[in-house]
Amino acid sequence: MDRTQKAALLSAGIGLVVTALKFYAAWLTGSLALYSDALESIINVVAAVGAFVALRVAARPADAEHPYGHHKAEFFSAVIEGALIVVAAVLILREAYFGLLAPKHLDAPALGVAINLGAGAINAVWAWALMRWGRAWRSPALVADARHVFADVVTSCGVLVGVVAVWLTGYPVLDPAVAGLVALNILWSGFRMVRESVDGLMDRAASPDMVCEIRALISRHGEGALEAHDVRTRSAGQATFIDFHLVVPGSMTVEASHAICDRLESALETTIPGAVVTIHVEPGEEAKARGLPIL
């Protein structure tokens, strides 16, 4: 089990603890907002389990049926997580609607707020850690899980504002009203997550900064070649696929051109985490006016 899988499994465990605390706070107070917050956390646990399964699949080596590996499994997990966030938001909006029709006064609000605040603090620390690891390890599944946990933190903040407002003002209608507003924010977060994951499934190119770095590495380490052109990239989970055409003098031997390719592959794989490089060698007459010059 690698580090990303361990992080996803730990996320599910933390999610269970946080969900239990939130349901206890909702039971104590009878707050619709706290209940909605706990409901959103259930989806969080399911999503963490989904991320763990996706990471297990993505870690499988390439085989005859999947020669490019299983990296895209992480994007499927992120799409599912985003969809679950949307479902949670719709459920909360439904509860908020009925709560507005029949608002209720709260019981033991101080204790409920304290418990929910503690659960929210645990989630905030964990969301920060997950996002940091997900970006460092280039794991879409962990990044998606971190965003989901952070959405839960936003939910908790909005809910606490609503509960405290009800407690201080004595207006119970504020409880479902705040829950509804927070649900709209969660809905937007889920939509964004699905959109970004679909981009990954559609073979979106690497970030502009990474593409610039790749082009600079090719230019710097391609000594002996004439130019490179048709540089293409795509990201799939923790892998970045890079392919381009390398133009060499027509008189160059296969052995010499292969040595240049080896040097370029080594430079790219060392600098770009998870790089999978494919180079097509062409003779000098295939050079293009807008090709990437070799320094």
Side-chain angles (χ1 to χ4, degrees):
M1 188 184 298
D2 67 13
R3 58 191 180 183
T4 56
Q5 294 172 37
K6 290 177 181 177
L9 199 57
L10 183 57
S11 188
I14 291 174
L16 283 172
V17 172
V18 168
T19 300
L21 287 172
K22 289 184 176 182
F23 269 113
Y24 182 55
W27 176 76
L28 280 175
T29 60
S31 168
L32 178 60
L34 290 181
Y35 172 74
S36 299
D37 192 16
L39 189 66
E40 199 276 336
S41 291
I42 290 179
I43 305 296
N44 209 15
V45 176
V46 175
V49 173
F52 172 72
V53 173
L55 287 165
R56 293 279 289 183
V57 174
R60 293 177 185 172
D63 54 36
E65 294 182 347
H66 305 89
Y68 292 98
H70 301 78
H71 308 286
K72 287 190 177 182
E74 291 195 50
F75 289 119
F76 283 107
S77 169
V79 169
I80 292 170
E81 274 198 60
L84 288 173
I85 289 177
V86 172
V87 169
V90 171
L91 290 175
I92 294 170
L93 283 171
R94 178 181 179 277
E95 294 296 327
Y97 171 73
F98 288 114
L100 286 170
L101 294 179
K104 299 177 182 178
H105 289 281
L106 306 181
D107 300 319
L111 182 57
V113 166
I115 293 172
N116 210 71
L117 187 61
I122 294 172
N123 261 352
V125 172
W126 185 239
W128 175 81
L130 270 183
M131 183 61 75
R132 184 179 179 184
W133 293 337
R135 286 175 174 169
W137 302 339
R138 301 183 67 241
S139 170
L142 287 186
V143 170
D145 197 22
R147 285 179 176 165
H148 196 174
V149 175
F150 183 73
D152 201 14
V153 174
V154 173
T155 302
S156 296
C157 290
V159 161
L160 287 172
V161 169
V163 173
V164 171
V166 172
W167 180 19
L168 296 178
T169 65
Y171 292 114
V173 73
L174 292 175
D175 183 32
V178 171
L181 290 174
V182 174
L184 292 175
N185 181 69
I186 296 172
L187 197 62
W188 170 245
S189 173
F191 169 75
R192 237 178 49 186
M193 191 182 299
V194 170
R195 183 184 63 189
E196 291 176 7
S197 300
V198 169
D199 273 347
L201 290 171
M202 295 295 291
D203 290 334
R204 184 173 185 172
S207 68
D209 288 344
M210 183 177 288
V211 171
C212 286
E213 186 175 17
I214 288 169
R215 293 176 68 87
L217 286 168
I218 294 171
S219 182
R220 189 161 57 245
H221 294 278
E223 183 182 356
L226 301 176
E227 65 157 41
H229 58 249
D230 294 341
V231 180
R232 301 186 303 174
T233 65
R234 66 182 179 90
S235 297
Q238 299 175 55
T240 298
F241 291 87
I242 305 165
D243 66 80
F244 58 92
H245 294 198
L246 184 71
V247 180
V248 301
S251 58
M252 181 176 284
T253 64
V254 172
E255 184 178 3
S257 62
H258 189 267
I260 299 173
C261 291
D262 283 345
R263 188 169 66 245
L264 284 168
E265 288 175 5
S266 177
L268 288 166
E269 290 169 359
T270 301
T271 308
I272 308 297
V276 180
V277 185
T278 302
I279 305 174
H280 176 68
V281 177
E282 296 180 338
E285 57 266 24
E286 296 295 331
K288 295 185 177 181
R290 295 185 179 180
L292 179 64
I294 302 297
L295 300 179

